[in-house]
Amino acid sequence: MSEAGEFDFIAQHLAPLSQGYEGAFGLTDDAAILADVPGLVITTDTMIQGVHFRKLEPWDLVARKALRVNLSDLAAMGADPHAVLLSITWPQAVRPAQMQRFVDGLKTDLEAFGIPLIGGDTTRGGELLVVTVTALGQCEHPLLRSGGEAGQDLYVSGTIGDAVLGLEVDTLAGLTGVHKAIVEDRHLLPTPRLKLGRELCGLASAALDVSDGLVADAGHLARASGVKAGIELDSIPLSSAAETWVRIQRDPIATLVKLITSGDDYELLFSAGPEKREEILAAAKRAGTHIARIGSLIEGKGVEVRTTSGELVRIDQAGFTHF
Amino acid sequence: MSEAGEFDFIAQHLAPLSQGYEGAFGLTDDAAILADVPGLVITTDTMIQGVHFRKLEPWDLVARKALRVNLSDLAAMGADPHAVLLSITWPQAVRPAQMQRFVDGLKTDLEAFGIPLIGGDTTRGGELLVVTVTALGQCEHPLLRSGGEAGQDLYVSGTIGDAVLGLEVDTLAGLTGVHKAIVEDRHLLPTPRLKLGRELCGLASAALDVSDGLVADAGHLARASGVKAGIELDSIPLSSAAETWVRIQRDPIATLVKLITSGDDYELLFSAGPEKREEILAAAKRAGTHIARIGSLIEGKGVEVRTTSGELVRIDQAGFTHF
């Protein structure tokens, strides 16, 4: 594509996504000017073809996931999305239809979440699609990882383990087509828990989003809060698909451990004092998001997972890690 | 590297670079909270090994260049650097010494420019180093690309064309070792013109940084301002190395055209009314940066380059483009 082509592409396809944000200048300047609003938070994440998503993943879904994993970080802070920047490197051999598909996905989600695209950069080269989203959010009283205390409850939203099943959907012999479609959708298009995050501000003592796996992320919250996370294995919420999958395995406990040590759930994990139980439930109801109490914070450090009978579950690898 | 390894790496090597920025939380939370300061501007750029820098480039220089190209965008707005975020994907086979070298370079420049690292993400996978820097700056009256008017002067800082010579330094038969070292340095480590940018606030009518090539970027400024850019070929400032190189070529004009249509100079190109000439010179002097008047903005659209005798120089490709 020629330089004129690049300008036309930005002007035609990306500039409208700035939705009139004043400091975005229709994506024509060197930097964007942020509106003077208090309590801005910022996060950034990169996704590389073949590393963070499969080589053949449709690009509309890539765009939407790149956006959503950043929105999930904002949700974990209890922040409202304010604006995003997009830094994209198209593969040298990119086809216009692929670019169009990427933009279609981006547009769908930016509009659905009501977020302007205010800047970024676009280049071309190499063999892989590389996408970095930088997301800005706004909140008055951000939720941190560090506020948890021993004696408090530990909760998680939605269901855990679907994303890793979705990633391996081709190997799930025994699941119905509907169940397969559900877990694959959960892998491809996580739901950032923005409403829940907002509702939890001033209510939860600590929060983060589950991206490295429930056990690993419970460890992060525990570490930041200077406590230990105690998780009851049987309290962890599973989808009907995941529950079915676990039940038909030879070693259900090992399968369950895999689900809670794999990543990309993008659910909120949070703590709150036991006196807040009713308020927490009401907040989840207002957000329209299911939550489950899965254990508590206790004195100590690290994470322990126990079965209903109180047996300690041995976990070798504390959660999937990209590193 | 294990997950524990990742945490140790962030805690030991990256967290100190947050320099106590309150909302960075020592790089331990999901997002960073920006200080409530007015006039924040934001920009982001991705650099991919083998695409935006050579496969064998030392990683300390990669880190510094990734930072500097973003600072150059801030300079073009007349903004002071406020903070940066870093999103990095290490190749799967990364060696600790390479990571250390990257961090060393990053630290060197963050300290030199006095900028805290306040967030980002770190993953590992694939075969290539991928680095995205998001830079935040602060300014009260940002310089835009769109304020130029017909009849105004056009200026550029520093010298043009060194970076492309530096990129091709192995082919520069006839240049001295000193000249080669100078142009290679200019390619590897551009100097963001931050002081000049600040001095030009309220003085220049339009500005940008030269990243796509002088001619292409003059076109961007002209397009945004709704005018034409007229450039005098012989007024374009060259380093002694570039001047020597042009002189010893069979077709000096063609060589000169190449220098002004190649990218990565990271100089400031700006316009100002002719009544401002003395003030502009004084501003450049205060910034300690050489500037040259290279032409003017005129009615029309596009860019024209003329020799001293008034002949139009034919330029086929309006500047290097990554696209």
Side-chain angles (χ1 to χ4, degrees):
Chain A
M1 190 176 292
S2 66
E3 164 136 6
E6 180 188 1
F7 274 85
D8 287 348
F9 182 80
I10 293 176
Q12 274 179 35
H13 298 289
L14 298 181
L17 302 181
S18 68
Q19 298 176 32
Y21 191 94
E22 195 185 343
F25 307 110
L27 308 184
T28 59
D29 224 300
D30 297 287
I33 301 178
L34 294 177
D36 272 341
V37 291
L40 282 178
V41 304
I42 184 167
T43 184
T44 185
D45 267 296
T46 296
M47 282 178 40
I48 304 175
Q49 193 176 23
V51 178
H52 304 93
F53 59 92
R54 289 176 291 199
K55 282 235 161 124
L56 297 178
E57 214 82 275
W59 286 13
D60 52 341
L61 297 179
V62 172
R64 296 172 73 186
K65 185 163 180 179
L67 181 65
R68 285 165 179 236
V69 300
N70 278 283
L71 297 185
S72 181
D73 279 325
L74 297 184
M77 303 291 279
D80 265 324
H82 175 74
V84 296
L85 289 88
L86 173 70
S87 181
I88 187 161
T89 305
W90 306 109
Q92 190 59 43
V94 67
R95 284 176 286 110
Q98 292 174 299
M99 296 167 68
Q100 186 60 55
R101 191 148 182 186
F102 184 94
V103 170
D104 287 346
L106 186 69
K107 184 173 193 290
T108 297
D109 266 9
L110 286 177
E111 287 178 358
F113 290 102
I115 311 167
L117 173 71
I118 64 167
D121 83 316
T122 313
T123 61
R124 195 167 104 166
E127 292 169 16
L128 302 171
L129 176 65
V130 177
V131 182
T132 302
V133 170
T134 299
L136 292 141
Q138 197 192 357
C139 62
E140 275 185 54
H141 304 290
L143 288 167
L144 303 183
R145 296 181 172 193
S146 54
E149 291 175 22
Q152 293 187 330
D153 299 324
L154 195 59
Y155 298 85
V156 75
S157 65
T159 56
I160 292 295
D162 300 318
V164 66
L165 292 180
L167 180 66
E168 301 174 356
V169 70
D170 294 337
T171 68
L172 304 183
L175 278 198
T176 63
V178 171
H179 277 165
K180 286 186 183 179
I182 287 172
V183 294
E184 188 163 31
D185 192 60
R186 290 269 292 162
H187 162 65
L188 294 173
L189 270 189
T191 303
R193 301 299 188 185
L194 289 160
K195 275 188 193 166
L196 180 62
R198 279 195 297 267
E199 291 289 348
L200 292 176
C201 282
L203 206 53
S205 57
L208 48 60
D209 68 324
V210 180
S211 55
D212 292 338
L214 179 65
V215 175
D217 284 312
H220 301 160
L221 188 150
R223 176 200 284 243
S225 295
V227 295
K228 182 177 191 168
I231 297 177
E232 296 153 24
L233 189 62
D234 302 306
S235 308
I236 296 169
L238 298 183
S239 67
S240 146
E243 213 165 64
T244 305
W245 179 247
V246 167
R247 204 173 50 230
I248 62 179
Q249 301 309 301
R250 262 186 234 157
D251 186 346
I253 296 278
T255 304
L256 207 44
V257 167
K258 177 181 168 174
L259 298 190
I260 66 173
T261 55
S262 297
D264 275 357
D265 292 305
Y266 299 106
E267 295 295 348
L268 294 190
L269 177 73
F270 58 97
S271 57
E275 74 285 359
K276 297 260 169 67
R277 282 182 194 169
E278 278 185 32
E279 284 178 83
I280 292 283
L281 282 175
K285 201 168 176 187
R286 284 194 301 275
T289 305
H290 181 263
I291 60 164
R293 187 148 52 82
I294 60 165
S296 55
L297 300 180
I298 48 188
E299 301 283 349
K301 55 194 274 189
V303 183
E304 60 176 42
V305 180
R306 292 184 184 273
T307 62
T308 317
S309 56
E311 269 180 281
L312 208 58
V313 179
R314 193 195 146 113
I315 294 177
D316 287 328
Q317 190 193 341
F320 173 80
T321 165
H322 292 289
F323 210 78
Chain B
M1 189 175 291
S2 66
E3 164 136 4
E6 181 189 358
F7 274 85
D8 287 349
F9 182 80
I10 293 176
Q12 273 179 36
H13 297 290
L14 298 182
L17 302 181
S18 67
Q19 299 176 34
Y21 190 95
E22 196 185 342
F25 308 110
L27 308 184
T28 59
D29 225 301
D30 297 287
I33 301 179
L34 294 176
D36 272 341
V37 290
L40 281 177
V41 304
I42 185 167
T43 184
T44 185
D45 267 297
T46 296
M47 282 177 39
I48 304 175
Q49 193 176 23
V51 178
H52 303 94
F53 59 93
R54 290 176 290 200
K55 282 235 162 127
L56 297 178
E57 214 83 274
W59 286 12
D60 53 340
L61 297 179
V62 172
R64 296 172 73 187
K65 186 163 179 179
L67 182 64
R68 286 165 179 235
V69 300
N70 278 283
L71 297 184
S72 182
D73 278 326
L74 297 184
M77 302 292 281
D80 266 325
H82 175 74
V84 296
L85 288 86
L86 173 69
S87 181
I88 186 162
T89 305
W90 306 109
Q92 191 59 44
V94 67
R95 286 177 284 111
Q98 292 175 299
M99 295 167 68
Q100 186 61 55
R101 191 148 182 188
F102 184 93
V103 170
D104 287 346
L106 186 68
K107 184 173 194 286
T108 298
D109 267 9
L110 286 177
E111 288 178 358
F113 290 102
I115 312 168
L117 174 70
I118 65 167
D121 83 316
T122 312
T123 61
R124 195 168 103 166
E127 291 169 17
L128 302 171
L129 176 66
V130 177
V131 183
T132 303
V133 170
T134 300
L136 292 142
Q138 197 193 357
C139 62
E140 276 185 55
H141 304 291
L143 289 167
L144 304 182
R145 295 182 172 191
S146 54
E149 291 175 21
Q152 293 188 330
D153 300 324
L154 195 60
Y155 299 84
V156 75
S157 65
T159 56
I160 292 295
D162 300 318
V164 65
L165 292 179
L167 179 67
E168 301 174 355
V169 69
D170 295 335
T171 68
L172 304 183
L175 278 199
T176 64
V178 171
H179 276 165
K180 286 185 183 179
I182 287 173
V183 293
E184 188 163 29
D185 193 60
R186 291 268 293 162
H187 162 64
L188 294 173
L189 272 188
T191 303
R193 301 299 187 186
L194 289 160
K195 276 188 193 166
L196 180 62
R198 279 195 297 268
E199 292 289 348
L200 292 176
C201 281
L203 207 53
S205 57
L208 49 61
D209 68 324
V210 179
S211 55
D212 293 336
L214 179 66
V215 175
D217 284 313
H220 301 160
L221 190 151
R223 176 200 284 244
S225 296
V227 295
K228 182 177 191 170
I231 297 177
E232 296 154 21
L233 190 62
D234 302 306
S235 309
I236 296 170
L238 298 183
S239 67
S240 146
E243 212 164 66
T244 305
W245 178 247
V246 168
R247 205 174 49 232
I248 63 179
Q249 301 309 302
R250 260 185 236 158
D251 185 345
I253 296 277
T255 304
L256 206 44
V257 167
K258 176 181 170 173
L259 298 190
I260 65 173
T261 55
S262 298
D264 276 355
D265 293 304
Y266 299 107
E267 296 294 348
L268 294 190
L269 177 72
F270 58 97
S271 57
E275 74 286 359
K276 297 260 168 69
R277 282 180 194 170
E278 278 185 31
E279 284 178 82
I280 292 284
L281 282 174
K285 201 168 176 185
R286 285 194 300 276
T289 305
H290 181 264
I291 61 164
R293 186 147 52 82
I294 61 166
S296 55
L297 300 180
I298 49 188
E299 302 282 349
K301 54 194 274 188
V303 183
E304 61 176 41
V305 181
R306 291 184 183 274
T307 62
T308 318
S309 57
E311 271 179 279
L312 208 57
V313 179
R314 193 195 146 111
I315 294 177
D316 286 330
Q317 191 192 343
F320 173 81
T321 166
H322 292 288
F323 209 76

